[in-house]
Amino acid sequence: MLKGNAQITEGQKFEILAAISKSAPAIFGEMDSTTAQSWIENPKGLQKVLKKALCPSVETINFPIWKTIELGTGLKTADDFRKAIEASGYKISKWASDILNKQAFTVASEKTELDLVKITGVDLGFTKNVTRKKIYDRAIKLGLELCPNESGPQLRLQYKDQPNGEWLYIAIEPIVVSDGDLNVFLVTRDDDDPWLNASCDSLGDLWGPGSMWVFVSPRRK
């Protein structure tokens, strides 16, 4: 799951303890009495070693915040967003418009600020083409979060100075469009025309290391 795993169950706790017990004889065979006594007298140290081995810490990188946008600005329906985009002099593609019509597309109930980062596959450590899932998994492991799907049209509306030729894939949970394909929003400026586009993510599609993605940088309390 991209958004984190559920809490460990009581049954899993017992199973892990049983698995540790089964592994213990092999460890004890390589441990002398002095080492064993040192662990007996240092339970906190033993706990720390076990925690490090069984629960590796999540690596995080402080990616610089690129842009802060607002959600929940009063635009609620697909038509609201389409009219706002067209009124701003921007264009919207067929499939981006289709995403707005889907039930999976939701908007914030109140005004909310969102800190965004703009990164490439290279920034995430990739040097070759990979799947979107690998990109998402790596970004989340590094402390980023997926964007609410409202971020796509809101970024288009609020990114007035986008440089020509820039393509930004919005890291949302993909939405199934009318032809059955999964799609994510794509905010572009081509030939000086600002667009809200969409990009297909069919099974097996790969993304180049230079592809630029927008994720959320969560605000720490």
Side-chain angles (χ1 to χ4, degrees), residues 37 40 50 75 112 115 128 145 174 206 211:
Q37 189 61 37
I40 292 170
L50 287 172
L75 303 175
T112 306
D115 295 329
K128 59 182 181 180
E145 294 179 353
L206 299 176
S211 298

Side-chain angles (χ1 to χ4, degrees), residues 81-217:
F81 281 99
R82 279 191 283 263
K83 288 176 181 177
I85 288 169
E86 291 168 359
S88 297
Y90 304 148
K91 298 182 178 180
I92 182 169
S93 71
K94 170 185 175 181
W95 294 118
S97 182
D98 194 54
I99 291 176
L100 296 177
N101 286 328
K102 301 306 177 185
Q103 188 173 1
F105 178 79
T106 57
V107 300
S109 59
E110 57 186 31
K111 190 170 289 189
T112 306
E113 284 192 342
L114 209 60
D115 295 329
L116 304 178
V117 299
K118 183 171 65 171
I119 55 177
T120 65
V122 173
D123 295 323
L124 295 172
F126 296 112
T127 57
K128 59 182 181 180
N129 297 351
V130 293
T131 63
R132 174 191 52 77
K133 184 180 185 303
K134 286 188 176 181
I135 291 171
Y136 281 15
D137 286 348
R138 179 62 176 162
I140 291 169
K141 184 178 180 181
L142 294 176
L144 301 177
E145 294 179 353
L146 297 187
C147 297
N149 47 46
E150 184 187 353
S151 303
Q154 290 288 13
L155 179 59
R156 174 64 288 159
L157 289 168
Q158 297 173 46
Y159 191 15
K160 301 181 184 301
D161 58 347
Q162 183 176 23
N164 195 41
E166 183 181 64
W167 286 34
L168 298 179
Y169 297 96
I170 312 304
I172 64 171
E173 289 282 6
I175 292 177
V176 179
V177 294
S178 296
D179 67 354
D181 286 333
L182 291 170
N183 272 245
V184 298
F185 282 120
L186 174 61
V187 174
T188 68
R189 191 181 191 104
D190 279 325
D191 297 326
D192 260 352
D193 287 329
W195 282 82
L196 177 64
N197 268 306
S199 182
C200 180
D201 181 46
S202 299
L203 185 64
D205 278 355
L206 299 176
W207 306 79
S211 298
M212 193 166 290
W213 290 85
V214 174
F215 286 87
V216 172
S217 177

Side-chain angles (χ1 to χ4, degrees), residues 37-86:
Q37 189 61 37
S38 69
W39 286 122
I40 292 170
E41 296 173 358
N42 185 17
K44 288 187 177 180
L46 179 59
Q47 184 185 60
K48 186 175 181 179
V49 169
L50 287 172
K51 183 177 180 181
K52 184 175 181 180
L54 299 177
C55 307
S57 59
V58 176
E59 178 187 2
T60 60
I61 295 178
N62 292 322
F63 292 104
I65 294 171
W66 161 64
K67 188 175 183 63
T68 298
I69 64 171
E70 287 187 343
L71 306 184
T73 59
L75 303 175
K76 297 184 181 300
T77 68
D79 280 341
D80 287 343
F81 281 99
R82 279 191 283 263
K83 288 176 181 177
I85 288 169
E86 291 168 359

